[in-house]
Amino acid sequence: MARPQLELILALPYPRTMKALWAVLTSLGVTKITVVTSALSDPDFKKSSVISPSIYEPLILEGLTQAGVYTTRPSVHIATFKSLTQLISTYNTFQDESCIKLLFDLGKDLPSVRQVLRSDKYHGAICAIGPERGWTDDEAEAFITAGFYSISLGQPVLRTDVACIAALTLVSDALSNNNTPEVDDKCYDD
């Protein structure tokens, strides 16, 4: 089984949440982690030591010990753009047709991961997960302009750590099994 390329753009959550996420993201096979500050992120979080290599490198190594088949260290980028829309615009030129760009957002009328990743042409994904209050309308529009599909994890508002685990697990599973026929969801009687 080929490892799917799985990149994460993550709006910086509470520092203790980010500290816990470094190992988890690594063990889930994320290949690149880009930490950003969105309009709804607390600006003081950017001052936290949790985004310094001296803190996150040992946590990434810890995640590698639990990773099983994923034994490559993810690259880490702490975005320094003056605005998130500047960073997002750099994804306009990303042209790899085998990699889908996914914006996880709040909203009950958005498609699910399963609906968007039905095609077997995708072998990688760039996933953008915002703060617990979601992305602003301007940020969401910038992602969509850059070619991201806006999708949902359902109606409940999830904590950032839960959203990361759910989203990345669903996307990784869909990418790993994109050539597997769908299973009928009906229950079977014994």
Side-chain angles (χ1 to χ4, degrees), residues 9 11-12 17 34 38 42 50 61-62 75 77-78 84 86 91 98 113 125 133 147-148 157 167 176 182 187-188:
I9 301 169
L12 183 60
T17 301
T34 302
S38 76
D42 187 323
V50 76
L61 289 175
E62 177 186 322
S75 64
H77 176 69
I78 308 299
L84 179 57
Q86 282 182 300
Y91 286 90
S98 71
V113 172
R133 295 188 291 163
F148 282 73
V157 176
S176 296
E182 288 190 34
C187 295
Y188 295 98

Side-chain angles (χ1 to χ4, degrees), residues 42-109:
D42 187 323
D44 288 336
F45 294 171
K46 190 81 169 176
K47 300 172 190 169
S48 171
S49 63
V50 76
I51 56 173
S52 67
S54 64
I55 299 296
Y56 69 71
E57 286 294 335
L59 298 169
I60 286 174
L61 289 175
E62 177 186 322
L64 286 172
T65 65
Q66 296 296 313
V69 297
Y70 304 127
T71 57
T72 304
R73 174 192 308 258
S75 64
V76 174
H77 176 69
I78 308 299
T80 56
F81 286 87
K82 291 190 187 283
S83 76
L84 179 57
T85 53
Q86 282 182 300
L87 171 74
I88 297 167
S89 69
T90 65
Y91 286 90
N92 277 331
T93 58
F94 186 83
Q95 298 297 326
D96 184 350
E97 296 296 321
S98 71
C99 188
I100 189 167
K101 297 182 277 189
L102 303 170
L103 169 66
F104 287 88
D105 204 359
L106 305 173
K108 58 185 170 191
D109 296 329

Side-chain angles (χ1 to χ4, degrees), residues 13 25 35 85 92 97 101 128 130 140 159 162 164 175 178 190:
L25 298 175
V35 179
T85 53
N92 277 331
E97 296 296 321
K101 297 182 277 189
R159 291 184 352 202
V162 174
C164 285
L175 293 172
N178 61 5
D190 288 336

Side-chain angles (χ1 to χ4, degrees), residues 18-39:
M18 188 70 235
K19 187 173 183 179
L21 275 173
W22 288 115
V24 172
L25 298 175
T26 302
S27 67
L28 288 173
V30 176
T31 53
K32 180 179 180 184
I33 303 166
T34 302
V35 179
V36 300
T37 304
S38 76

